[in-house]
Amino acid sequence: MVEQTPPMIQVQKLVKRFGLKTVLRSLDFSVQPGEFVALLGPNGAGKTTFLRILSSLSSPTLGTVTISGYSLPGQAAAVRRRLGVVSHLPLLYGDLSAEENLTFYGRLYAVEGLKARIDEVLEIVGLAPRRRDLVRTFSRGMQQRLAIGRAILHDPDVLLLDEPHTGLDQDACAMLDEVLRQVSGLGRTVVMTSHDLARAEDLASRFDILSRGRIQASVKAEDLPVNGLLAFYRESLRAADSRPRHEVAA
Amino acid sequence: MRTAVTRPAGTPFVRSMLAVVWKDLAAEWRSKEILSSMLVFALLVILIFNFALELDASARREATAGILWVTLAFAGTLGLNRSMAVEKDRGCLDGLLLAPVDRTAIYFGKSIANWLFMLSVALIVLPVYSILYNVNLFNPGLLMVILLGSEGYVAIGTLLSSMAVQTRMRDILLPILLFPVIIPVVLASVKASYGYLQGSAMTDIQPWITLLVASDLIFTAVAFMVFDYVVEE
């Protein structure tokens, strides 16, 4: 008998409402340790809202969210210690240097051996030579690499990425992908929202389609034909659109 | 990534708070955005009052406490707005809220930094005011009132600026929210400052100092209790 590994992320019947508007409708989602899940969907599908709930920045209206065995929002501090978050904003201070930004966040996360860890992270993201430069002098690509450095500084179990490639040129995207492969290769669980299907197909081990506030379809990379993500994505959205309204709202 | 990282149960409160203070001071040391805008504004206000009122020597002494606190309160609003806008504009507020720290440590860190900014402005404004208005402001009692008054001001101001910054009207919303609430602190500060500058008896000043201390305690306690809810989405 094969022993089932407990999921790293477990979401059950998640509902999120903003006033009268329901953004997430009874959403179920589960991620095993070490999986790299690409969360795909059209604009307004609720991807960012979902990621903000997973990252404890927003509270669910209904439903349960468990990360690494800790539930949200009740055990938010324990969850936050195990999470690294990268969004399309860098979450960095322009008037501090790369090293000072990491020092600040390292202090907030009480990282032991902070100096050595900062050296290690700056090497990983390829910014060691620019460590003393102010972040406001960095290009968008460099800021995003440093944002990943900030997110992995405390060695999180789970990395949440909200459209991390937004606004990056091709070279910066390629460099970012390299860092993400490195992080994922070390067995960390990654959930990434993206509009870039080619990039997602290249990086992720599973693809979930979020539309109308719930996961409409999910497929593992090995079950997809080569370059088959676009067809799968369109088919999933078409199927979701053809479902009766009352079924979606249920 | 390294293989093992020590994960303490929670980052200690004082350590997180000091990290926020250090970050704000280091960023301000580089940009000088907050202090320069507060200082220029404060100096302009006292200059305008000086020319607009054309007071004689005794009237100057009478008006000093009021002008001083109006100047500090207006300049303080600029500083509070800017201090929180820096956090919001680049998503840094989310970065702070994602950290496994007690959120009130973030509040106290921001408050202490804002307090230091306000005291720095007062430190420069006082001698300039003394020269322009020919009034001696180097009075230990007045300095104590400035310490207490600015503490109450930033205690509630930091809380309200963290609310205002989440709206599109953040620049105009903060003074609208702050000035009605801050009346007890400004009133007590003006009256106590006036008492010290006029050499009034301690029995006349004491009630205002008591009101000031009580306001400081209440504002700090309220902010401590509600900051978590204010920043929650």
Side-chain angles (χ1 to χ4, degrees):
Chain A
M1 204 172 92
V2 181
E3 198 176 313
Q4 186 75 35
T5 319
M8 181 61 80
I9 302 174
Q10 178 84 56
V11 177
Q12 289 174 318
K13 303 207 178 304
L14 176 67
V15 175
K16 179 67 183 178
R17 293 193 193 103
F18 293 103
L20 294 173
K21 187 177 162 67
T22 305
V23 178
L24 300 175
R25 303 162 189 273
S26 197
L27 184 149
D28 293 316
F29 181 74
S30 175
V31 183
Q32 290 300 313
E35 266 192 304
F36 191 137
V37 179
L39 199 58
L40 311 168
N43 287 331
K47 300 188 295 294
T48 297
T49 301
F50 181 44
L51 238 57
R52 286 184 72 81
I53 291 173
L54 289 184
S55 60
S56 81
L57 287 172
S58 183
S59 298
T61 308
L62 291 169
T64 60
V65 179
T66 312
I67 295 178
S68 196
Y70 297 96
S71 65
L72 283 174
Q75 294 170 302
V79 170
R80 285 184 201 126
R81 191 166 286 288
R82 284 156 180 83
L83 284 184
V85 178
V86 177
S87 78
H88 47 275
L89 287 170
L91 280 64
L92 296 166
Y93 295 91
D95 291 317
L96 297 182
S97 68
E99 192 176 16
E100 287 168 338
N101 267 285
L102 294 184
T103 302
F104 171 59
Y105 282 108
R107 286 173 181 167
L108 289 185
Y109 283 85
V111 174
E112 300 278 341
L114 184 57
K115 264 190 175 306
R117 179 61 182 155
I118 288 172
D119 293 345
E120 197 178 2
V121 165
L122 286 172
E123 285 295 335
I124 291 172
V125 297
L127 288 171
R130 302 287 305 268
R131 63 190 302 149
R132 289 194 169 77
D133 292 352
L134 296 187
V135 167
R136 67 172 134 87
T137 66
F138 283 10
S139 68
R140 171 89 179 95
M142 288 164 70
Q143 290 194 18
Q144 200 62 338
R145 276 191 281 148
L146 186 60
I148 292 194
R150 174 192 49 72
I152 64 172
L153 184 67
H154 55 292
D155 203 9
D157 297 331
V158 180
L159 208 53
L160 302 176
L161 309 160
D162 187 12
E163 296 179 24
H165 298 92
T166 304
L168 299 185
D169 63 28
Q170 288 304 310
D171 285 348
C173 281
M175 211 172 274
L176 184 64
D177 290 351
E178 195 45 50
V179 175
L180 290 178
R181 274 193 205 94
Q182 213 178 329
V183 171
S184 154
L186 288 158
R188 299 298 176 262
T189 306
V190 183
V191 178
M192 176 180 81
T193 68
S194 183
H195 286 295
D196 188 338
L197 297 189
R199 195 135 254 136
E201 193 163 13
D202 199 29
L203 288 167
S205 60
R206 199 184 98 194
F207 311 95
D208 283 17
I209 314 298
L210 178 63
S211 175
R212 294 182 167 200
R214 56 168 61 164
I215 303 292
Q216 302 291 349
S218 178
V219 66
K220 292 200 168 178
E222 64 258 32
D223 297 333
L224 267 183
V226 177
N227 298 326
L229 183 59
L230 179 60
F232 174 77
Y233 176 75
R234 285 181 174 158
E235 182 52 41
S236 305
L237 290 186
R238 201 175 301 126
D241 289 344
S242 64
R243 261 178 226 140
R245 269 278 165 200
H246 68 271
E247 196 184 311
V248 175
Chain B
M1 266 192 278
R2 63 183 174 189
T3 47
V5 159
T6 313
R7 282 191 180 129
T11 308
F13 186 93
V14 175
R15 189 173 166 174
S16 331
M17 186 183 76
L18 292 178
V20 175
V21 176
W22 170 83
K23 182 268 298 173
D24 273 6
L25 296 184
E28 183 56 22
W29 180 255
R30 293 272 162 62
S31 70
K32 296 173 180 68
E33 252 179 47
I34 297 173
L35 273 179
S36 60
S37 57
M38 285 172 78
L39 200 57
V40 169
F41 185 80
L43 293 175
L44 284 173
V45 169
I46 57 172
L47 207 63
I48 289 167
F49 271 124
N50 186 39
F51 291 120
L53 298 178
E54 288 185 1
L55 303 170
D56 59 32
S58 79
R60 279 178 185 177
R61 272 195 299 278
E62 295 272 322
T64 288
I67 294 172
L68 193 64
W69 277 102
V70 166
T71 305
L72 288 177
F74 284 176
T77 315
L78 280 186
L80 289 170
N81 246 337
R82 192 64 213 138
S83 162
M84 215 36 107
V86 168
E87 303 290 350
K88 192 67 182 172
D89 288 345
R90 300 171 66 94
C92 296
L93 188 59
D94 281 352
L96 290 177
L97 299 178
L98 283 166
V101 301
D102 187 334
R103 285 177 172 172
T104 49
I106 298 170
Y107 162 77
F108 279 110
K110 295 292 299 178
S111 285
I112 291 172
N114 288 334
W115 193 33
L116 293 175
F117 295 148
M118 203 159 164
L119 291 177
S120 307
V121 170
L123 207 67
I124 298 169
V125 163
L126 286 184
V128 175
Y129 190 100
S130 294
I131 294 165
L132 275 177
Y133 287 76
N134 197 21
V135 178
N136 180 20
L137 294 179
F138 293 95
N139 179 316
L142 177 67
L143 297 181
M144 182 195 69
V145 174
I146 289 174
L147 277 176
L148 290 173
S150 51
E151 198 284 321
Y153 188 87
V154 297
I156 200 70
T158 304
L159 177 73
L160 294 176
S161 68
S162 62
M163 284 168 69
V165 80
Q166 301 185 50
T167 69
R168 278 179 297 174
M169 296 164 60
R170 67 184 184 198
D171 291 329
I172 52 170
L173 192 59
L174 179 63
I176 292 171
L177 291 175
L178 179 61
F179 287 141
V181 179
I182 208 70
I183 285 172
V185 168
V186 174
L187 179 69
S189 298
V190 170
K191 294 289 186 186
S193 302
Y194 178 84
Y196 280 116
L197 290 173
Q198 296 295 320
S200 306
M202 200 55 209
T203 47
D204 294 336
I205 301 172
Q206 190 57 52
W208 299 112
I209 295 290
T210 307
L211 175 62
L212 195 50
V213 172
S215 304
D216 286 6
L217 290 174
I218 290 168
F219 286 157
T220 306
V222 167
F224 178 80
M225 287 188 285
V226 304
F227 183 75
D228 215 355
Y229 299 101
V230 165
V231 293
E232 187 76 49
E233 190 172 281

